[in-house]
C-alpha cells in the first residue's frame, strides 16, 4: 500500500512533518557504487566467461594428450617410456589447469563482495605462477628427452620437433600474455 499520496488528517504540525518526510523520501538517491555494481558485473562477466572457455579448452586438450601420448610415441618410433613421461606431463598440466578453471568458476559476481573477488583473483594469479613454474620444471627435461629421441630416430623428426618447439613456445607466450591481460582487466575493474 502506497501511503505517499494519501491524505492523512492530522494537525498542521504533523502534516508538515509528513510533507517534509515525503519530499526527503523522493530526494533519496541510491549511492553510485550500488547503481554501478550491476553495470560493473556486466562488464566483467564476459571476461570471466572467456577465461572459463579458455581453461575448458586447455583442460580438454591436456586430457586428450594424456590418452594419446603413448600410442603416438610408439607410432613415431620413440620408446614407451617417453610416451609415459609425456602422458604424466599432460596429466600434471591437466590438474593445474583444472584447479585454475575451478578458481575462475568461483568468481561469482552476484554473491561475492569485491574483496572476496579480489582475493579469488589473487589466488588465481598465484596458481597461474605455480602452473608456469611446474610446467617449466617438468617440461624442459621432457623437451630434451623428446628432442633427443627425435634426433636418434630421424634428423627430419628432430627438425620438426625444433619447429614445433618454436611454434608452441610462441603460441604459449601469446596465450599467457592474453590471459594475464584479461585477469588484470578484471582486477582493475573490481578495484575501481
Amino acid at each position: 500500500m502506497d501511503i505517499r499520496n494519501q491524505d492523512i488528517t492530522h494537525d498542521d504540525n504533523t502534516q508538515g512533518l509528513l510533507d517534509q518526510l515525503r519530499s526527503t523520501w523522493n530526494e533519496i538517491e541510491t549511492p553510485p557504487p550500488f547503481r554501478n555494481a550491476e553495470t560493473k558485473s556486466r562488464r566483467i562477466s564476459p571476461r570471466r566467461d572467456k577465461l572459463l572457455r579458455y581453461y575448458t579448452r586447455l583442460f580438454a586438450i591436456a586430457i586428450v594428450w594424456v590418452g594419446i601420448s603413448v600410442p603416438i610415441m610408439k607410432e613415431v618410433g620413440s620408446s614407451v617410456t617417453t610416451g609415459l613421461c609425456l602422458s604424466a606431463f599432460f596429466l600434471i598440466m591437466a590438474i593445474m589447469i583444472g584447479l585454475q578453471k575451478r578458481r575462475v568458476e568461483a568468481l561469482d559476481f552476484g554473491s561475492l563482495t569485491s574483496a572476496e573477488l579480489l582475493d579469488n583473483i589473487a589466488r588465481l594469479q598465484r596458481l597461474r605462477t605455480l602452473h608456469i613454474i611446474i610446467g617449466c620444471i617438468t617440461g624442459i627435461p621432457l623437451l630434451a628427452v623428446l628432442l633427443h629421441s627425435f634426433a636418434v630416430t630421424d634428423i627430419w623428426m628432430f627438425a620438426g620437433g625444433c619447429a614445433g618447439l618454436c611454434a608452441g613456445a610462441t603460441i604459449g607466450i601469446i596465450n599467457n600474455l592474453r590471459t594475464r591481460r584479461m585477469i588484470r582487466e578484471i582486477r582493475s575493474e573490481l578495484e575501481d
Side-chain angles (χ1 to χ4, degrees):
M1 181 172 153
D2 188 16
I3 63 168
R4 289 185 287 179
N5 295 325
Q6 292 181 358
D7 290 331
I8 301 174
T9 55
H10 292 288
D11 61 358
D12 290 334
N13 190 23
T14 306
Q15 189 64 36
L17 289 172
L18 283 173
D19 289 338
Q20 182 183 4
L21 180 62
R22 280 187 198 125
S23 66
T24 305
W25 179 265
N26 291 333
E27 292 172 6
I28 293 177
E29 291 184 19
T30 306
F34 295 116
R35 273 190 302 193
N36 292 334
E38 186 178 320
T39 306
K40 186 182 286 190
S41 76
R42 270 192 252 138
R43 284 191 308 241
I44 297 173
S45 188
R47 290 186 187 113
R48 175 199 174 266
D49 295 341
K50 194 172 183 179
L51 271 176
L52 197 55
R53 285 191 305 270
Y54 171 72
Y55 282 119
T56 302
R57 278 192 310 268
L58 280 181
F59 184 76
I61 290 168
I63 291 296
V64 167
W65 273 99
V66 167
I68 67 172
S69 293
V70 174
I72 285 180
M73 288 297 112
K74 283 174 65 176
E75 183 71 28
V76 299
S78 293
S79 68
V80 174
T81 307
T82 304
L84 289 173
C85 290
L86 194 59
S87 287
F89 170 77
F90 279 110
L91 181 62
I92 292 168
M93 291 299 103
I95 291 168
M96 295 301 298
I97 293 166
L99 291 173
Q100 291 173 68
K101 182 177 177 280
R102 284 183 55 203
R103 185 59 57 193
V104 172
E105 288 169 343
L107 295 175
D108 183 8
F109 299 107
S111 63
L112 297 176
T113 65
S114 291
E116 292 169 330
L117 288 167
L118 286 170
D119 183 51
N120 276 346
I121 289 174
R123 288 180 183 179
L124 174 63
Q125 288 174 322
R126 285 191 301 270
L127 196 55
R128 281 180 43 77
T129 301
L130 182 64
H131 178 205
I132 291 169
I133 291 169
I134 290 174
C136 288
I137 289 172
T138 57
I140 291 173
L142 179 63
L143 284 172
V145 168
L146 280 172
L147 290 176
H148 177 267
S149 174
F150 292 163
V152 170
T153 305
D154 186 18
I155 190 68
W156 293 109
M157 278 184 68
F158 177 74
C162 289
L165 173 64
C166 293
T170 303
I171 291 169
I173 290 169
I174 290 170
N175 280 339
N176 182 45
L177 292 174
R178 186 180 316 142
T179 305
R180 187 184 297 172
R181 187 187 73 238
M182 280 191 287
I183 292 171
R184 201 175 327 122
E185 287 172 354
I186 291 172
R187 184 182 194 104
S188 68
E189 284 282 336
L190 288 170
E191 288 174 341
D192 287 346

